């Protein structure tokens, strides 16, 4: 019992979701007769619910994947796990199965806003007794409660997107992927590497940062009031979520400004993705308000400090807003054409 309490203390000492997930998995893995613990991501692919391993314990170490869920070769349809599917449909707190002799599995789903986003899978060599299930549920509930506290501190209260406070940490993790991780995003030994976009090696996969600003948003608040302004922000957050992948990161920086960290894609695709989002916003009907447009500035985020990268994307954004709005501008193109000069460097910073 003392050993278990020490693990719980360690688990709640983390201030990061991934480290918290690794810690709870390590705690569960130390229980007697437990042979494997995995965190499974739940997602939709072409309208079908699927699962894929997101992190697991291997040779005493925690292993995770940065691969895009939709393209992960290890994904499996939820229908392959009938007990877990029934658990999701009935909204029960756990599911159990004995897929083979000497292997007994319990799944513990994580519900967020009435949807299952992930679940912990615990496999052990002996049948799962009522006492063991109580222990598992107790540890899992501590994990869920602490995860909710972390989530609340990291997110914007209005839109549910990540807030400005979490940007530096997420940016550092995003940038650490680098071009090498982008070309082979699977971190597990022996896992299949992602294929280059377009089936060839025409462009390297890189990381991108975009700053997105709602055009004339002050007029929305002045004309329709702040309640409708807030509704526009909430709907904009929903459009952002549906327009980008699960492993990209979206932030609300305050007011009408949003930031997107786009992972592992080519410059050509980044242009297409950001312009597709711009067009999606333009085509969307906002109740009472009508049509809204956005301006976008983006830059590569593989190197440089957050101040440098944000400064570059901001310069591209403001060029977009000062030259017609409702457009996407790439910082390097503007510099190459002479429309912009670099205002932020490693040596000094000019405030503007």
């Amino acid at each position: 019992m003392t050993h278990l309490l020490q693990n719980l203390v360690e688990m709640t000492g983390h201030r990061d979701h991934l480290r918290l997930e690794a810690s709870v998995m390590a705690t569960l893995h130390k229980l007697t007769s437990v042979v494997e613990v995995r965190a499974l991501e739940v997602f939709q692919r072409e309208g079908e619910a699927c699962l894929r391993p997101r992190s697991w314990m291997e040779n005493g170490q925690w292993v995770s994947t940065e691969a895009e869920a939709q393209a992960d070769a290890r994904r499996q349809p939820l229908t392959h796990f009938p007990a877990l599917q029934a658990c999701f449909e009935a909204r029960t707190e756990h599911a159990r199965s004995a897929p083979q002799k000497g292997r007994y599995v319990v799944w513990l789903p994580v519900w967020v806003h009435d949807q299952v986003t992930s679940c912990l899978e615990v496999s052990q060599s002996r049948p799962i007794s009522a006492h063991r299930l109580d222990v598992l549920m107790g540890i899992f509930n501590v994990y869920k409660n602490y995860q909710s506290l972390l989530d609340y501190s990291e997110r914007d209260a209005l839109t549910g997107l990540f807030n400005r406070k979490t940007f530096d940490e997420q940016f550092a993790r995003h940038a650490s992927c680098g071009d090498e991780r982008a070309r082979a995003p699977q971190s597990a030994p022996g896992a299949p590497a992602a294929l280059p976009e377009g089936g060839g090696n025409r462009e390297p996969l890189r990381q991108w940062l975009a700053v997105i600003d709602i055009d004339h948003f002050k007029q929305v608040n002045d004309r329709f009031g702040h309640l409708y302004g807030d509704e526009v922000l909430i709907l904009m957050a929903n459009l952002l979520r549906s327009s980008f992948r699960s492993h990209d990161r979206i932030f609300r920086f305050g007011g009408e400004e949003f930031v997107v960290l786009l992972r592992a894609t080519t410059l050509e695709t980044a242009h297409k993705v950001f312009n597709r989002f711009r067009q999606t916003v333009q085509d969307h009907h906002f109740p009472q308000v009508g049509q809204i447009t956005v301006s976008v500035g983006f830059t590569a985020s593989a190197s440089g400090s957050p101040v440098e990268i944000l400064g570059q994307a901001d310069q591209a954004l403001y060029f977009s807003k000062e030259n017609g709005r409702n457009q996407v501008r790439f910082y390097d193109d503007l510099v190459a054409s002479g429309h912009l000069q670099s205002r932020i460097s490693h040596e000094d910073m000019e405030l503007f």
Side-chain angles (χ1 to χ4, degrees):
M1 180 62 71
T2 301
H3 184 69
L4 180 59
L5 290 175
Q6 289 174 344
N7 277 276
L8 290 176
V9 170
E10 178 185 350
M11 185 174 75
T12 54
H14 295 296
R15 298 294 184 269
D16 174 87
H17 282 284
L18 290 177
R19 291 188 178 92
L20 175 61
E21 184 174 88
S23 184
V24 70
M25 291 169 62
T27 300
L28 294 171
H29 204 278
K30 290 177 182 177
L31 297 175
T32 57
S33 75
V34 169
V35 295
E36 185 180 37
V37 181
R38 300 193 301 172
L40 306 178
E41 182 177 355
V42 182
F43 62 98
Q44 296 288 323
R45 184 176 186 271
E46 298 178 354
E48 181 181 42
C50 295
L51 302 172
R52 66 91 175 245
R54 182 174 65 193
S55 54
W56 58 94
M57 300 297 294
E58 188 171 284
N59 299 324
Q61 294 185 334
W62 176 57
V63 181
S64 66
T65 178
E66 291 287 344
E68 160 63 10
Q70 300 280 347
D72 196 329
R74 295 163 301 165
R75 67 181 183 274
Q76 291 182 281
L78 179 61
T79 53
H80 288 188
F81 305 87
L84 185 57
Q85 184 178 23
C87 169
F88 289 176
E89 293 172 353
R91 294 177 174 269
T92 54
E93 61 182 9
H94 69 271
R96 287 194 279 183
S97 178
Q100 63 189 56
K101 185 177 180 180
R103 191 174 184 90
Y104 303 87
V105 180
V106 60
W107 291 286
L108 307 169
V110 178
W111 292 84
V112 177
H113 304 304
D114 294 327
Q115 289 187 333
V116 180
T117 58
S118 62
C119 67
L120 294 183
E121 178 191 79
V122 183
S123 302
Q124 61 178 52
S125 57
R126 295 188 300 182
I128 300 168
S129 65
H131 174 70
R132 170 51 59 88
L133 185 60
D134 286 343
V135 172
L136 294 176
M137 290 302 304
I139 296 172
F140 179 65
N141 286 331
V142 171
Y143 162 70
K144 282 199 307 179
N145 290 343
Y146 197 68
Q147 186 185 57
S148 296
L149 289 174
L150 286 181
D151 197 62
Y152 180 78
S153 69
E154 290 179 347
R155 295 188 180 272
D156 171 59
L158 178 66
T159 63
L161 300 177
F162 287 117
N163 58 29
R164 177 65 186 265
K165 187 176 71 172
T166 63
F167 172 75
D168 285 344
E169 177 187 337
Q170 294 282 344
F171 180 89
R173 182 181 302 150
H174 170 87
S176 69
C177 293
D179 291 343
E180 182 178 353
R181 176 71 63 85
R183 283 188 286 269
Q186 302 285 351
S187 61
L195 293 175
E197 294 184 31
N201 295 307
R202 297 167 300 167
E203 277 190 70
L205 304 184
R206 302 167 69 188
Q207 324 298 321
W208 311 94
L209 182 145
V211 180
I212 299 169
D213 191 87
I214 302 175
D215 296 327
H216 302 297
F217 184 70
K218 184 177 183 300
Q219 295 180 14
V220 173
N221 281 331
D222 291 346
R223 182 178 178 186
F224 300 102
H226 287 278
L227 286 178
Y228 280 104
D230 286 351
E231 183 176 30
V232 167
L233 293 172
I234 293 170
L235 293 174
M236 189 67 65
N238 292 338
L239 291 176
L240 282 162
R241 289 189 189 94
S242 63
S243 298
F244 294 93
R245 302 165 298 182
S246 61
H247 66 302
D248 298 322
R249 290 294 177 263
I250 308 168
F251 305 82
R252 182 189 175 200
F253 262 37
E256 68 274 26
E257 190 172 79
F258 302 86
V259 169
V260 175
L261 290 174
L262 187 66
R263 294 188 179 189
T265 194
T266 64
L267 174 59
E268 179 184 1
T269 302
H271 270 292
K272 290 179 180 178
V273 168
F274 293 131
N275 271 293
R276 183 178 60 202
F277 170 71
R278 180 197 59 77
Q279 188 66 48
T280 296
V281 173
Q282 180 179 312
D283 295 342
H284 187 81
H285 177 76
F286 291 82
Q288 182 69 25
V289 176
Q291 187 186 46
I292 294 291
T293 62
V294 294
S295 298
V296 182
F298 78 99
T299 187
S301 66
S303 61
S305 69
V307 170
E308 290 177 276
I309 303 303
L310 278 172
Q312 292 174 2
D314 263 332
Q315 288 181 66
L317 168 68
Y318 283 106
F319 184 90
S320 170
K321 294 184 77 69
E322 292 169 0
N323 290 271
R325 295 183 169 85
N326 190 26
Q327 55 188 278
V328 176
R329 292 289 187 163
F330 177 44
Y331 174 79
D332 286 3
D333 287 347
L334 295 173
V335 171
S337 63
H339 288 104
L340 285 181
Q341 292 183 346
S342 178
R343 301 187 184 183
I344 297 178
S345 69
H346 289 285
E347 303 298 331
D348 58 271
M349 179 176 66
E350 177 185 343
L351 301 179
F352 61 95

